[in-house]
Amino acid sequence: MQYFLCNGKGRGFAPGRPATFAVALTVCLLLATQRQAGALTLLSIRDISQSAGASYFVSHAKGSGQPGERDTSSSEDYNFGFEYSILAPQLIKGKTSLYLEYQQDSRNGADSSDVQLRYNINSMLFSKDSFPVSISANSSRQTISETFGPTYSTDTDSLVSQLSLLNNFVPSSIQYSRQSTQTSGLVRNFRQSSDSFVVNATPNLGMLGSLNLGVSMTESDSAAVESSLATHNATSLAQASYNKTWMSPTGFSRGFGASYVYQQATGVVRMDNQSLSSNMDWQFGKALQGRATWMETKSMSDVQESRTRTATGSLTHRLMGSLATSVNLYGNEQQFDNGASRSLSGGLAFNYNKRLPQDSNFNAGYNYGKGYQESTGAVSEVQVTAEQHTTPLILPRRIKLNNETFIADSIEVVGGQTMLPYPPGSYTVIADGIELIADFAGDSTVLISYRYRRDPSTASIATSHSASTSVGLFGDKYRLYANARSTGQEVIRGQATAVTLVGTSHYDAGANANLGRHKLGGEMGYDKTYAQNHYYIYSSWSYSAPYLRGNLSLDASDRMTWGTQQGGAEPWLNSLGCQASYYRNFNNIAARLKASYSNSLVETGDMAQYIGLLLNLEGKFGKLTAMLTSSMNWSYSSLGTSLSESIGFSLRRAF
């Protein structure tokens, strides 16, 4: 069910903006309905729908050493919806839904109630002309039950308006959007509002190629509900890209592309980036293909300015569709305020693919690379700004940074969606990155800024080898594979530390089996990096089949790692995950059950366990729709024990 707040109270919504527009439009439509004349169709209304609904939701959460929190929410609403057009469908047409709702909330004994007029409006103006305008204003309240996470509610209000200019010369679009979001029912809730303006144009160059132009500006305010933490952020982006493909007189494909991007960000993440790039693809013959790329990037932040130039080239030959041979070159130069680093490398690659009897195949590849690297000046530390990583869900919630020589006390973490900084207590530093302890529910990614060490005034020769092989049997019903990679460096000028001299290695071997309803997988491997050396064993199993007139799916995986790290032995870690889900229709009722279990065990004795249960029932009985949702999540670790439970139901009767 979608709503839109119109009185501007609560939920972080600013009064007098999209709500004012939507209410005014709705009132005008209703007044016009009473004044329409038989001869002149000022307003046409059709497909009228009405319904009444009620819902109730209760949740309880408790952690070690913390008082339990109990939240309840109930609502009753009346809905009136219709489709409409003004004067003619070609002028203005759309669909409107109005919700008059009475909402009651209670959080730890603090009661509140409110009457809201919510709505969902979609309008299209001048749909048959060359300048159509679309306007959409809506709102949604969602109850979210995440696996191994607490159940919470999110209120999202949005307004999107777009003007399209349709023509054969410069098709364009102009869009303005506003969105506000607020969570409730969590220990760390947040609210955020944002405005964005986007202009896009695609000039028609005909046979000369294609050109895309774009400009966007976004401004947002984020705040933590339970604290004074707040940020203001703004981002501006301008980009242009050109592409042209053609065929030679002999029938070979050719292509050229170029792009320019400028981005400026202010607020919790401050940076100024520009990049100019181009690429060329050239087919010399039926079996010979070439490619060249070039890119120049300029980056500025509060602590560092850098300029990077990169050029690559490759030539690939394919023999009888089985043997591919590639030669590649790579050059890079990075300039800092008081120093620079340069690298030049080349490589040779072979890949062989052979079809075998019984719908089987064999593949093998080898890559060799040799390169020269040097650093000049006094730069011993390099700044990295807003390195993006996916937020892990299951303990241990570890994130590996791209540069393992990072300086621990330089790390800063910011939520990728909430744009709120994470205090040091929200994460701990580990050998190859960080381990998250707490985060905001809206953050599916995090942005990590830090500095890493490098050896100044040195020159070295780097060598790399990699090999891979795989065999697929009986249409990939069975697959065996193995991979190996290694790199090493030799200093030829200056004095270097382990930062430069360290070599990296990776070896793995595994097998997969697709046995219809059953799928099996296993892999074992070894990794050597600057921060650690470790071995791992991974196995997985999945099953999916009809069961008791429904659909059953089971999944299980286990990963164990052990080895050494800087400062001594690395404790072994075993992570086990299991999940079962079942879906079935009982005449008018659809049922879904999901159970999840996760266990992480460390050699030191630390253990983390998660159990999650979710049940959804949805039934339709004529014009009556009913839904029941229930969830339970329990966790145990060295940080303590937590339990969250929730149950809710909703009814809706159409008239």
Side-chain angles (χ1 to χ4, degrees):
M1 183 189 303
Q2 293 186 324
Y3 308 100
F4 195 83
L5 287 169
C6 71
N7 64 355
K9 295 182 180 179
R11 312 190 191 282
F13 193 81
R17 290 197 176 184
T20 304
F21 161 79
V23 170
L25 177 60
T26 303
V27 171
C28 290
L29 293 177
L30 295 177
L31 291 176
T33 305
Q34 301 175 357
R35 299 176 182 176
Q36 58 183 324
L40 177 62
T41 307
L42 177 64
L43 177 70
S44 174
I45 292 181
R46 62 184 183 277
D47 296 336
I48 296 176
S49 62
Q50 302 178 72
S51 65
S55 65
Y56 179 80
F57 178 81
V58 59
S59 65
H60 175 263
K62 189 180 188 311
S64 297
Q66 299 178 354
E69 296 184 355
R70 179 184 176 89
D71 296 339
T72 61
S73 174
S74 63
S75 66
E76 299 82 32
D77 70 81
Y78 171 75
N79 164 247
F80 180 74
F82 55 90
E83 294 185 10
Y84 65 89
S85 62
I86 298 179
L87 294 181
Q90 295 84 352
L91 182 61
I92 300 177
K93 65 178 180 179
K95 185 175 183 179
T96 296
S97 293
L98 301 173
Y99 295 86
L100 181 62
E101 181 188 66
Y102 177 60
Q103 179 80 33
Q104 302 175 82
D105 296 296
S106 176
R107 181 175 176 83
N108 293 329
D111 299 331
S112 62
S113 61
D114 201 1
V115 177
Q116 303 285 352
L117 176 61
R118 307 188 181 191
Y119 53 85
N120 181 355
I121 294 179
N122 293 278
S123 300
M124 176 66 73
L125 288 68
F126 317 116
S127 59
K128 300 297 183 179
D129 293 311
S130 59
F131 46 89
V133 178
S134 63
I135 301 175
S136 174
N138 57 74
S139 172
S140 64
R141 164 172 265 202
Q142 291 182 306
T143 299
I144 300 174
S145 297
E146 295 183 337
T147 303
F148 305 137
T151 300
Y152 64 96
S153 298
T154 300
D155 291 288
T156 303
D157 306 306
S158 64
L159 168 70
V160 179
S161 57
Q162 177 172 306
L163 167 65
S164 300
L165 302 176
L166 308 178
N167 55 75
N168 295 325
F169 304 102
V170 188
S172 310
S173 65
I174 303 173
Q175 183 185 92
Y176 168 78
S177 62
R178 175 177 174 81
Q179 179 171 295
S180 64
T181 303
Q182 180 167 334
T183 63
S184 59
L186 291 166
V187 176
R188 304 176 69 183
N189 292 290
F190 76 94
R191 57 175 173 266
Q192 183 181 63
S193 62
S194 63
D195 295 86
S196 65
F197 181 74
V198 181
V199 179
N200 287 307
T202 55
N204 186 1
L205 304 182
M207 298 181 61
L208 297 178
S210 61
L211 180 64
N212 292 278
L213 306 173
V215 176
S216 66
M217 293 173 286
T218 303
E219 194 168 352
S220 66
D221 291 284
S222 304
V225 176
E226 288 81 12
S227 68
S228 59
L229 183 65
T231 62
H232 177 80
N233 304 277
T235 302
S236 300
L237 178 70
Q239 55 185 356
S241 63
Y242 170 80
N243 288 280
K244 167 67 176 176
T245 59
W246 70 96
M247 301 296 292
S248 69
T250 55
F252 299 131
S253 64
R254 311 284 163 80
F256 173 78
S259 67
Y260 172 78
V261 178
Y262 173 77
Q263 182 181 19
Q264 184 183 60
T266 61
V268 67
V269 175
R270 303 177 62 87
M271 59 181 179
D272 194 328
N273 295 334
Q274 298 182 66
S275 67
L276 179 63
S277 63
S278 63
N279 63 275
M280 173 74 76
D281 292 281
W282 201 273
Q283 187 179 6
F284 294 96
K286 293 182 178 180
L288 191 61
Q289 178 78 34
R291 179 176 176 82
T293 66
W294 175 82
M295 174 179 285
E296 181 168 353
T297 303
K298 182 179 180 182
S299 301
M300 292 182 291
S301 65
D302 293 337
V303 297
Q304 179 180 272
E305 179 177 344
S306 65
R307 183 187 297 269
T308 304
R309 299 181 182 89
T310 303
T312 67
S314 65
L315 196 62
T316 302
H317 179 267
R318 299 185 182 276
L319 179 63
M320 304 297 292
S322 296
L323 178 62
T325 305
S326 300
V327 179
N328 59 78
L329 295 173
Y330 172 86
N332 176 271
E333 180 185 37
Q334 191 171 14
Q335 297 178 340
F336 304 99
D337 297 331
N338 56 348
S341 63
R342 300 175 183 87
S343 64
L344 179 64
S345 63
L348 187 63
F350 302 94
N351 189 78
Y352 177 73
N353 186 61
K354 177 65 175 177
R355 294 179 63 92
L356 302 175
Q358 302 295 322
D359 196 18
S360 302
N361 65 83
F362 170 77
N363 182 272
Y366 174 75
N367 292 268
Y368 172 79
K370 196 81 170 181
Y372 171 78
Q373 300 177 355
E374 71 169 1
S375 59
T376 60
V379 179
S380 59
E381 297 180 1
V382 179
Q383 175 70 27
V384 176
T385 302
E387 183 178 286
Q388 182 172 298
H389 294 271
T390 301
T391 303
L393 300 177
I394 299 176
L395 288 177
R397 307 176 67 190
R398 296 177 177 176
I399 297 175
K400 182 179 180 180
L401 299 181
N402 294 343
N403 300 279
E404 295 189 57
T405 59
F406 62 85
I407 301 173
D409 59 6
S410 69
I411 293 178
E412 297 178 352
V413 183
V414 175
Q417 284 65 48
T418 63
M419 298 306 294
L420 291 172
Y422 284 31
S426 300
Y427 59 90
T428 58
V429 179
I430 57 178
D432 57 354
I434 67 170
E435 182 175 332
L436 278 181
I437 298 175
D439 64 333
F440 286 99
D443 288 330
S444 59
T445 61
V446 291
L447 307 177
I448 306 177
S449 301
Y450 59 93
R451 299 191 309 275
Y452 68 91
R453 296 186 298 274
R454 62 187 290 272
D455 287 325
S457 302
T458 60
S460 62
I461 298 294
T463 306
S464 64
H465 302 268
S466 67
S468 64
T469 183
S470 65
V471 178
L473 303 174
F474 312 115
D476 268 349
K477 183 176 182 179
Y478 303 99
R479 181 173 176 267
L480 307 173
Y481 63 90
N483 301 282
R485 298 190 303 270
S486 68
T487 63
Q489 297 196 52
E490 177 186 357
V491 176
I492 60 176
R493 187 181 73 243
Q495 295 182 346
T497 66
V499 173
T500 297
L501 294 177
V502 67
T504 64
S505 302
H506 171 83
Y507 305 95
D508 69 65
N512 296 319
N514 186 349
L515 306 178
R517 296 177 179 178
H518 296 269
K519 292 180 175 61
L520 303 171
E523 181 179 300
M524 61 185 306
Y526 167 77
D527 282 295
K528 176 187 176 184
T529 64
Y530 169 78
Q532 59 186 354
N533 302 334
H534 75 260
Y535 301 85
Y536 68 88
I537 297 177
Y538 173 80
S539 60
S540 65
W541 167 77
S542 65
Y543 173 83
S544 179
Y547 182 72
L548 294 179
R549 300 182 181 179
N551 294 314
L552 173 68
S553 63
L554 305 172
D555 298 274
S557 64
D558 184 83
R559 181 183 177 94
M560 185 172 185
T561 61
W562 70 96
T564 61
Q565 61 182 4
Q566 290 180 348
E570 177 186 12
W572 57 258
L573 169 66
N574 190 83
S575 299
L576 170 68
C578 304
Q579 182 173 288
S581 62
Y582 180 70
Y583 177 83
R584 179 177 173 179
N585 280 321
F586 298 88
N587 295 326
N588 296 330
I589 301 177
R592 181 182 297 275
L593 174 64
K594 181 179 179 181
S596 305
Y597 173 75
S598 173
N599 178 293
S600 297
L601 181 62
V602 186
E603 183 180 6
T604 56
D606 291 339
M607 178 185 292
Q609 297 189 76
Y610 284 93
I611 296 177
L613 298 174
L614 177 65
L615 173 63
N616 286 336
L617 297 175
E618 183 173 356
K620 187 172 181 62
F621 311 93
K623 295 184 178 182
L624 176 66
T625 301
M627 180 180 293
L628 173 68
T629 301
S630 178
S631 68
M632 187 278 288
N633 290 283
W634 175 83
S635 68
Y636 166 80
S637 69
S638 58
L639 302 176
T641 303
S642 65
L643 173 67
S644 64
E645 308 167 278
S646 67
I647 186 171
F649 71 88
S650 62
L651 300 172
R652 178 157 297 279
R653 174 67 162 81
F655 303 99

